[in-house]
Amino acid sequence: MKMLKILETKQVAVLALCLLVAMLGTAAEPTPGFNQTIPKSILTEDAVDTSIGELRFFDGMPDDETVRKLYDNLDTIRATDVFLNMVPAASLEGIRRGLEGLGVTKPNQVMMFDQLLDSNPLFLTGNTDTVYSVVIFDLSRDGPVVVEIPPGSGPSTVNDAYFRFVTDMGAPGPDRGKGGKYLILPHDYEGDIPKGYFTATSPSAINLMVLRGFLVDGKTDAAVRSVKEALKIYPLNKKDNPPEMKFISGSKIPFNTVHANDSSFFDEINDVIQREPVGFLDPELRGQLASIGIQKGKPFEPDARMQRLLRDGIAIGNATARALLLQPRDKTAYLYDDRRWYSAFIGGDYQWLIAGGDGGRNLDARTAFFYGYTLNTPAMVMKMVGAGSQYAVAASDQSGNYLDGSKFYRIRIPPNVPAKDFWSMVVYDPQTRSELQTGQPFPSKNNKRDSLIVDKDGSIELYFGPTAPDGKAANWIQTVPGKGWWAIFRLYGPLDAWFDREWRPGDFELIGDGFGDSHDH
């Protein structure tokens, strides 16, 4: 009986094995060159067609020409990635260099657009409606820096050398618009922290501070006076005898704060890396930089081959950044399902985190932002009804064609714009991402500053083209034949109807071909 059960068990095992073989099919023959069957998915053919040409192998070993081709491609990829990931640092470095050219190098020296930011300076998508005051801190040189912010200050922000948020001041900051003293500490500060300050620590040596003041009755006087009379910035070690504040006007002066888009970009980044502490960037970014020869404490001396690949990588990176900025492929970027307007802060997170970080970082959104815009603060993405500001961006007309300076367009701003303070429309140059330079020093319209023609229903139609339409000059923004343009619509003190999408600006409507060819995409 026991023997019978054993035989039955063996029979079941055999039957199970037969069934398994039947399910899998007949056993495969050994792969040529092997004793066993090797999955095809892990093998490499002797010739493989790719986007960089045919790659050739001897039994999986790349030949000399393929090795050369692969390393060239790898270095080009690394150069492209460095560009896309280091745009934030290059952008802030561009501002630092531009301010240095104006003699603004110390914390008590302030560059102020006391007559507003016109189109002469090259400054990424600055607006024509607020009084900017811009300061550079060098914490490695000066140590902790004190900022005495006056009461009633507009939104003010400090960013580090990678354009990361350090602290807000003024209304969105911890002083809540009441004013107070801020202390910005270096990353390695080990001294006692005195009481009576709002403190923040920066990972970098170089930091950018931007204060914004609002117009009163369309004029800059009150904002300028407030800053000049009450703003104090000085090293903590000079608190008993602060140096006198110096204010340098940047209005109506041509100067550049925009980073390079050619291979000199890497020289700009190398200067940043040599200046900043090693821990300013994480090991992943430092590894990307090192792969193309940029490393703290070492000279950046690319040979002829590497220079060629860097030029190629920067060309691809620059083109990619322009696509990300002007034609977002992320559907969540678009504010409406029936309009061309999209957000500057794609994803709605000032750190560009996806799902709070569970999905990692939205690298494309970060590149797009810093290629076109400056300053990083939670206040720019938070829903702050009646406070702060909101932005909508458009580079195409209602048919999806790029906006062309040779043509004529109209846009309808419906009545009851949900902006407690004011709204504005500013036009920018796609090359410089700065204000479009035309016969109008301010390529913009502002409903509080400008006397606009208002239709009977309360709506306003704005016009764009190389010449003003008859009887509509008050509502006209000039464009340049042969040049593209793009626009940002801003609301200051946005209300619920903006956040709920109940109120929507119209699209840019083509109303005349003007002269020149269209640029469809």
Side-chain angles (χ1 to χ4, degrees):
M1 190 65 148
K2 186 175 181 181
M3 182 64 68
L4 181 59
K5 288 184 178 180
I6 293 174
L7 289 174
E8 288 175 349
T9 302
K10 289 183 177 180
Q11 288 173 343
V12 170
V14 170
L15 287 172
L17 182 60
C18 291
L19 180 61
L20 180 62
V21 170
M23 292 175 61
L24 297 177
T26 57
E29 294 293 324
T31 301
F34 296 90
N35 294 330
Q36 305 297 333
T37 300
I38 307 299
K40 188 176 181 180
S41 61
I42 72 172
L43 300 176
T44 298
E45 301 288 342
D46 289 343
V48 180
D49 289 326
T50 73
S51 62
I52 61 172
E54 185 180 67
L55 307 180
R56 301 191 66 83
F57 303 84
F58 165 63
D59 200 24
M61 295 182 284
D63 66 16
D64 290 345
E65 175 60 21
T66 295
V67 168
R68 182 201 63 76
K69 192 178 295 184
L70 291 170
Y71 279 129
D72 281 358
N73 182 62
L74 180 60
D75 289 340
T76 302
I77 290 172
R78 293 281 192 258
T80 301
D81 278 343
V82 165
F83 179 85
L84 295 174
N85 287 327
M86 294 305 293
V87 163
S91 185
L92 198 136
E93 172 66 2
I95 295 175
R96 188 199 67 80
R97 292 184 179 200
L99 295 180
E100 184 178 58
L102 295 178
V104 179
T105 60
K106 298 178 181 179
N108 66 310
Q109 298 169 331
V110 180
M111 189 280 290
M112 176 185 286
F113 289 116
D114 53 344
Q115 299 178 62
L116 299 177
L117 173 55
D118 56 84
S119 60
N120 284 295
L122 298 179
F123 205 101
L124 292 182
T125 53
N127 72 58
T128 61
D129 312 300
T130 59
V131 177
Y132 290 111
S133 297
V134 188
V135 187
I136 288 289
F137 306 151
D138 186 345
L139 302 179
S140 65
R141 177 192 65 197
D142 298 322
V145 170
V146 177
V147 180
E148 296 184 15
I149 196 87
S153 290
S156 307
T157 301
V158 177
N159 283 174
D160 78 354
Y162 193 72
F163 252 127
R164 290 172 297 212
F165 175 72
V166 175
T167 189
D168 274 330
M169 301 175 179
D175 70 279
R176 294 296 184 261
K178 297 179 181 178
K181 293 182 179 181
Y182 285 78
L183 183 62
I184 311 301
L185 299 171
H187 75 287
D188 56 354
Y189 182 72
E190 296 180 351
D192 294 331
I193 299 177
K195 296 181 179 180
Y197 296 90
F198 300 110
T199 61
T201 300
S202 172
S204 66
I206 296 297
N207 287 261
L208 171 72
M209 175 180 171
V210 177
L211 294 83
R212 287 178 286 184
F214 294 123
L215 303 180
V216 176
D217 297 327
K219 298 179 181 179
T220 64
D221 300 359
V224 171
R225 183 171 57 253
S226 172
V227 172
K228 287 188 174 181
E229 289 180 355
L231 178 67
K232 306 293 181 186
I233 309 176
Y234 49 86
L236 179 64
N237 58 19
K238 295 183 179 180
K239 64 182 178 62
D240 295 329
N241 186 27
E244 179 184 357
M245 295 296 294
K246 296 182 179 179
F247 296 91
I248 300 167
S249 177
S251 297
K252 302 181 181 180
I253 300 173
F255 65 98
N256 179 39
T257 67
V258 181
H259 65 78
N261 285 330
D262 61 12
S263 57
S264 61
F265 175 96
F266 298 111
D267 297 313
E268 295 174 350
I269 292 299
N270 183 59
D271 286 350
V272 173
I273 296 306
Q274 302 308 326
R275 181 189 310 117
E276 296 295 340
V278 170
F280 151 67
L281 296 176
D282 64 41
E284 294 289 333
L285 284 176
R286 295 203 303 270
Q288 281 190 354
L289 291 162
S291 72
I292 65 167
I294 297 176
Q295 185 175 343
K296 187 173 179 66
K298 293 187 177 182
F300 176 52
E301 298 174 339
D303 58 19
R305 169 191 168 274
M306 197 62 189
Q307 289 178 21
R308 171 175 59 82
L309 299 177
L310 291 176
R311 287 192 296 270
D312 192 29
I314 202 82
I316 297 170
N318 175 55
T320 303
R322 289 180 175 276
L324 293 170
L325 173 66
L326 299 170
Q327 274 198 64
R329 66 176 177 176
D330 186 339
K331 296 186 185 304
T332 66
Y334 292 88
L335 299 175
Y336 317 106
D337 56 7
D338 61 345
R339 316 271 162 119
R340 300 290 173 177
W341 293 102
Y342 58 90
S343 172
F345 262 106
I346 299 173
D349 188 290
Y350 76 98
Q351 295 175 303
W352 291 273
L353 297 177
I354 301 170
D358 289 349
R361 200 181 306 278
N362 191 331
L363 302 179
D364 290 351
R366 184 178 66 185
T367 297
F369 182 85
F370 287 109
Y371 192 75
Y373 317 98
T374 61
L375 280 190
N376 181 12
T377 165
M380 294 176 73
V381 296
M382 292 171 58
K383 180 179 179 179
M384 301 173 65
V385 178
S389 53
Q390 287 287 306
Y391 311 84
V393 185
S396 305
D397 67 17
Q398 62 182 8
S399 299
N401 300 320
Y402 282 133
L403 299 169
D404 184 340
S406 303
K407 301 177 185 299
F408 294 86
Y409 302 86
R410 173 178 56 206
I411 188 171
R412 180 175 180 270
I413 308 298
N416 303 315
V417 179
K420 181 175 68 69
D421 299 319
F422 64 92
W423 60 263
S424 75
M425 181 80 73
V426 187
V427 168
Y428 297 97
D429 187 322
Q431 287 281 8
T432 65
R433 291 95 71 207
S434 303
E435 291 176 25
L436 186 68
Q437 296 185 353
T438 69
Q440 297 174 324
F442 299 106
S444 65
K445 291 300 175 185
N446 174 319
N447 72 310
K448 290 293 180 68
R449 183 192 65 206
D450 301 306
S451 298
L452 300 173
I453 301 169
V454 181
D455 293 339
K456 291 181 180 180
D457 65 353
S459 65
I460 293 174
E461 289 189 337
L462 298 180
Y463 295 86
F464 306 79
T467 57
D470 292 342
K472 303 290 186 180
N475 292 24
W476 166 66
I477 298 177
Q478 187 176 17
T479 61
V480 180
K483 284 196 66 63
W485 58 275
W486 55 302
I488 299 180
F489 181 70
R490 291 176 169 88
L491 296 91
Y492 293 86
L495 302 176
D496 280 324
W498 172 259
F499 294 105
D500 297 342
R501 305 292 185 251
E502 294 177 1
W503 184 95
R504 302 182 177 194
D507 269 333
F508 288 97
E509 177 188 354
L510 179 66
I511 57 174
D513 285 339
F515 35 91
D517 297 328
S518 65
H519 299 283
D520 296 348
H521 59 78

